[in-house]
Amino acid sequence: MTRASTLRDGWLHATSTLSAVRVPPPSRVDRAVAGTAMVLAPVAALPLGAAAAVVVLVADLVDLPALATAYVVLLTLALGTRAFHWDGLADTADGLTASYSPERSLEVMRTGPVGPAGVVAVVLVSGMQAAGLTAVVRHEHAWWAVGLLVCASRAALAVCCVRGVPAARADGLGATHIGAVPVVGAIATLLVAAVATAFAGHALGSAVPTLIGLVVMVAAVLALLLRCVRRLGGITGDVLGAATELSFAVLVLAAATV
């Protein structure tokens, strides 16, 4: 297959998997396409970022309170991803607190209903996102800053799937993606995220806090990966969702300090 077809299939795969946007199915999904999809995740999230930006812009025009605007943004993102990442966050929290047995924890993550740890994780992370967004949307140019932060948060997926990170099990949606991203690809994705966060910070008044937020985001994702590898023997697709929501929370909280 040509590089162009791999890029096309990677973009289609990323868009159809990470959002509710309807696109034609990729012609194939192998390791190369899966890795490309994770590298292109911030680009594939552009429709989500645009939707969030429109919500902030319209909310400002109708004088919607900042807290209400924040929750409408979160609702829009949840609908735009079919709550896919939130499910991963809940399952990851439940799995990490279920048992000292990796096998039992992975079974809970695969089949179990949402438990207390999952509920707490979703409430806390969504609360942090709402708190950060409430402060951010008060800025004059918040609409495109929020859109850029949505896209930048998806860079966490390339970090999670970089070569060397093991998969906790051989089956499941994440198995094809985990370890499929070359180091160069992960670095390129982070550079794109750095540009996006810098522009977002500039729109709010200063790029420094948002760039620091990106560094903290990467550190938080690495800490999550380390915990999962030690606890589960690797990561799963659920961890990818957890990393995405955690990353967005970190970025908007950093932006809230501008």
Side-chain angles (χ1 to χ4, degrees), residues 73-94:
V73 169
L74 294 185
L75 175 61
T76 301
L77 293 176
L79 292 174
T81 59
R82 309 181 193 90
F84 191 48
H85 303 312
W86 288 113
D87 178 69
L89 174 64
D91 286 344
T92 299
D94 284 334

Side-chain angles (χ1 to χ4, degrees), residues 69-118:
T69 301
Y71 275 109
V72 175
V73 169
L74 294 185
L75 175 61
T76 301
L77 293 176
L79 292 174
T81 59
R82 309 181 193 90
F84 191 48
H85 303 312
W86 288 113
D87 178 69
L89 174 64
D91 286 344
T92 299
D94 284 334
L96 290 176
T97 58
S99 168
Y100 286 109
S101 165
E103 293 77 15
R104 172 57 182 161
S105 293
L106 289 171
E107 182 66 17
V108 167
M109 293 171 70
R110 187 176 69 87
T111 62
V114 177

Side-chain angles (χ1 to χ4, degrees), residues 1-10 27-28 30 32-33 36:
M1 290 292 180
T2 65
R3 181 173 298 181
S5 67
T6 299
L7 283 171
R8 177 183 180 276
D9 285 338
S27 60
R28 76 189 198 284
D30 54 18
V33 170
T36 301

Side-chain angles (χ1 to χ4, degrees), residues 53 56-57 60-61 135-146 200 202-205:
V56 175
L57 186 60
D60 182 59
L61 292 175
V136 170
V137 298
R138 292 191 172 99
H139 289 265
E140 182 179 358
H141 301 293
W143 62 277
W144 62 283
V146 170
H202 178 71
L204 301 175

